[in-house]
Amino acid sequence: MAEARPEAGRRLAAGGGLSGLWSRVRAEAAFWQGALYDAVRFRRHAWLHRAHSPESRAARMLADAHFLEYGMALREARPGFGLARAARLAGDLRDGGSGGPAAHIGLATLRGWADFNRDTALPPGIAPALALTGGEGIAAGVAQAGGAPPATDFLAFAQSRRSVRHFAPGPVPEAAIRRAVAAAQAAPSSCNRQTCTAHVWTDRALIDRVRRHQAGNRTFGHELGGIAVITSDLRHWEHAGERYQPWIDGGLFAMSLCHGLHAEGLGTCFLNWSVTPATDRALRAEIGLDDSQLVIVLLGFGLMPDSASVCASPRLPEGAALRLNPPLAG
């Protein structure tokens, strides 16, 4: 079992002299070690040249299906849009069959796209794919949105969420966790690839095994009613321009999950995962994560007590976070 390590960024800067110089050299080496660790893993699993795993193929089908949806949803949608993407999607469906959720979504989307292009000559590989079974009943393609959203003061809701470090005893309802994860699934995802997963434990012994790899919870983690490890699958990403996208999608998913738990009346606290490669490997070994799974962040949660002291955490003025219509260069 890996020992808990001090949280990244919590130590004060080193002083002068040889000791300070050595500390700076070590910090520089640790930076490049972590950057190389992340880069090598992304390159190993991303489908830079070809979809070399079932997971990469599923991600490509979702991305191509989303491209077809995008074309059909434009204000001036035109038939014939996305022929090359449709042909690749049809090829993946034919080669991999129509089994699995991603293939079902891809096939349902392809059917909607073919209907949209019913007066257009389609590539020859489309028809065999359309003859496959699967995807029936999935509302893919184009939907309608508009009107006022459900009455919610989201500003008040968002500002009411605090990082909680006092929890009431008792089991967290499984239904609340499932609803919160469903809310996280509604978060935006690049090309609708939906690469993120919440690995959740609510058993006391398992929570303690997971949380020992994260130093920041040592003073309150024994009160947690659950812990989630949020990951993004590196096999779902494609090219160099997406090298940071796992963290972006993962952050959107994580915050949506946090808000979902808050909406269920649960207390939450993000547990920082800015760690060394050794600590990352230790956690992934503990919970059985494949090397392709990038850990984004941990999230502790539990039942709210009647009253809990929390950090006030005053926010900077709005102007610190907003630049409205700033002038452009040139």
Side-chain angles (χ1 to χ4, degrees), residues 2 40 83 108 176 187 190 309-310 316:
V40 168
L83 292 176
S190 177
S309 296
V310 297
L316 296 171

Side-chain angles (χ1 to χ4, degrees), residues 44-264:
R44 180 184 300 139
H45 298 292
W47 42 287
L48 185 62
H49 301 297
R50 61 186 179 87
H52 50 73
S53 69
E55 291 78 13
S56 295
R57 184 184 295 274
R60 188 165 74 179
M61 286 192 287
L62 288 174
D64 285 343
H66 183 70
F67 187 84
L68 300 182
E69 288 184 321
Y70 163 81
M72 290 186 285
L74 292 173
R75 182 185 297 276
E76 298 180 1
R78 56 179 178 81
F81 179 91
L83 292 176
R85 293 293 190 107
R88 186 169 72 173
L89 173 57
D92 280 339
L93 288 167
R94 295 194 313 271
D95 294 344
S98 56
H104 291 169
I105 292 171
L107 184 52
T109 305
L110 188 66
R111 289 187 183 123
W113 177 86
D115 183 65
F116 178 80
N117 287 279
R118 55 187 172 274
D119 296 325
T120 303
L122 301 182
I126 301 293
L130 293 174
L132 297 170
T133 58
E136 293 79 5
I138 294 179
V142 176
Q144 298 300 314
T152 302
D153 185 345
F154 186 74
L155 176 59
F157 172 80
Q159 291 177 337
S160 70
R161 191 213 66 82
R162 300 284 185 156
S163 292
V164 177
R165 297 174 178 87
H166 304 264
F167 298 92
V172 176
E174 183 177 311
I177 297 173
R178 293 186 179 277
R179 282 174 53 85
V181 171
Q185 287 181 291
S189 174
S190 177
C191 295
N192 196 36
R193 275 175 278 187
Q194 305 174 64
T195 76
C196 297
T197 302
H199 310 262
V200 179
W201 293 268
T202 57
D203 177 85
R204 176 77 268 151
L206 300 180
I207 293 171
D208 288 340
R209 286 178 59 182
V210 173
R211 73 180 185 87
R212 282 188 59 183
H213 296 274
Q214 201 278 343
N217 74 91
R218 64 180 63 178
T219 58
F220 65 91
H222 59 284
E223 295 188 19
L224 293 174
I227 193 168
V229 176
I230 296 161
T231 65
S232 176
D233 192 333
L234 294 174
R235 295 169 296 187
H236 291 197
W237 303 104
E238 181 180 6
H239 53 75
E242 294 184 329
R243 63 194 182 278
Y244 299 121
Q245 200 63 42
W247 283 284
I248 296 170
D249 275 31
L252 292 168
F253 182 94
M255 193 67 244
S256 296
L257 175 62
C258 183
H259 276 147
L261 293 169
H262 180 49
E264 295 295 322

Side-chain angles (χ1 to χ4, degrees), residues 227-317:
I227 193 168
V229 176
I230 296 161
T231 65
S232 176
D233 192 333
L234 294 174
R235 295 169 296 187
H236 291 197
W237 303 104
E238 181 180 6
H239 53 75
E242 294 184 329
R243 63 194 182 278
Y244 299 121
Q245 200 63 42
W247 283 284
I248 296 170
D249 275 31
L252 292 168
F253 182 94
M255 193 67 244
S256 296
L257 175 62
C258 183
H259 276 147
L261 293 169
H262 180 49
E264 295 295 322
L266 299 172
T268 60
C269 186
F270 275 113
L271 307 175
N272 181 26
W273 197 243
S274 301
V275 297
T276 64
T279 303
D280 185 74
R281 290 190 190 99
L283 174 68
R284 289 193 293 104
E286 180 80 74
I287 64 179
L289 277 184
D290 184 84
D291 183 67
S292 63
Q293 300 298 313
L294 177 71
V295 177
I296 306 297
V297 72
L298 278 60
L299 179 62
F301 59 92
L303 301 181
M304 281 291 292
D306 292 335
S307 179
S309 296
V310 297
C311 297
S313 300
R315 292 318 198 226
L316 296 171

